[in-house]
Amino acid sequence: KTVRANSRTACPSEWIRIVFDICLGGWIYTTRDQKKTMRAQNRTISNFRNHSTTSISGFASGINVISGPNGAGKTSILEAISAAALTKSFTDAADNTLVRTGADNFTIDTEFISDLGVGLHCLVEYRPGPPVKKTIFVNNDRLRRSSDLIGQVPIVALTPDDKVITG
C-alpha cells in the first residue's frame, strides 16, 4: 500500500503534535549556531510489524499527520523512522519482534533531506537468523557498526509514557 502524508496546522493533542513535528516534519538541530532541519522524504517499509510493503512519500516541512483506525500501523511507521535513525525502535521492542509474522526479515529504506538540500539514504535490513544479522547502509556504504548511524539523523521521540516531559 502507498501512504501520502498530509500537512496539517494542528493536532488533537500537544504530545502528538510534538512527535509528528519532530519525527516526520523535520528534526531541528544546531551546528555552528545555525538552525538546520532534516526530514524524511521517502520511505519504504517491508515486513515490518503489520506492514507487508508500505511506501510513504510527501512529508512536508512542519507538521505531518498520519491517521487511520486502531491497528492500521501508524505507530509502526514511527517505529520504522526510529529504526532508520537510531537502529532500533523507540519502544522497548526487540528487533526480532518487529519482523512481520510469517516473514524472515524486515527492510526499512528511507531518504532524508536537510534544509540545505543534502540527502542521506539509509537502508536497514534485519534477519533474525540464526545467525542474527542487521545490516545498515548509509548512502550505499555499509556501516561496520550500528552506532555509526546514530547522530546522522537527529531524532527525539516523545510519547505519552514520557510523563516527566509531557506533564
Side-chain angles (χ1 to χ4, degrees), residues 73-140:
K74 302 176 298 292
T75 301
S76 298
I77 291 170
L78 294 177
E79 282 186 285
I81 291 170
S82 177
L86 300 174
T87 74
K88 63 180 188 163
S89 169
F90 64 86
T91 68
D92 292 334
D95 286 340
N96 64 337
T97 65
L98 302 175
V99 178
R100 185 172 188 251
T101 303
D104 61 354
N105 70 320
F106 72 71
T107 303
I108 303 165
D109 190 357
T110 308
E111 293 175 31
F112 297 99
I113 190 162
S114 75
D115 63 339
L116 301 175
V118 177
L120 183 112
H121 179 241
C122 181
L123 176 67
V124 177
E125 298 173 331
Y126 174 79
R127 185 174 308 280
V132 172
K133 184 176 182 180
K134 183 185 267 185
T135 310
I136 301 169
F137 295 88
V138 173
N139 295 332
N140 298 319

Side-chain angles (χ1 to χ4, degrees), residues 17-28 38 62 154-158:
R17 189 198 66 75
I18 291 169
V19 168
F20 283 106
D21 189 30
I22 293 172
C23 291
L24 300 178
W27 295 274
I28 298 172
M38 180 172 271
I155 184 171
V156 175
L158 299 175

Side-chain angles (χ1 to χ4, degrees), residues 5-28 39 58-66:
N6 295 315
S7 180
R8 300 281 190 258
T9 57
C11 290
S13 70
E14 186 64 19
W15 76 265
I16 291 175
R17 189 198 66 75
I18 291 169
V19 168
F20 283 106
D21 189 30
I22 293 172
C23 291
L24 300 178
W27 295 274
I28 298 172
R39 70 179 185 275
F59 288 118
S61 58
I63 298 172
N64 291 267
V65 175
I66 298 175

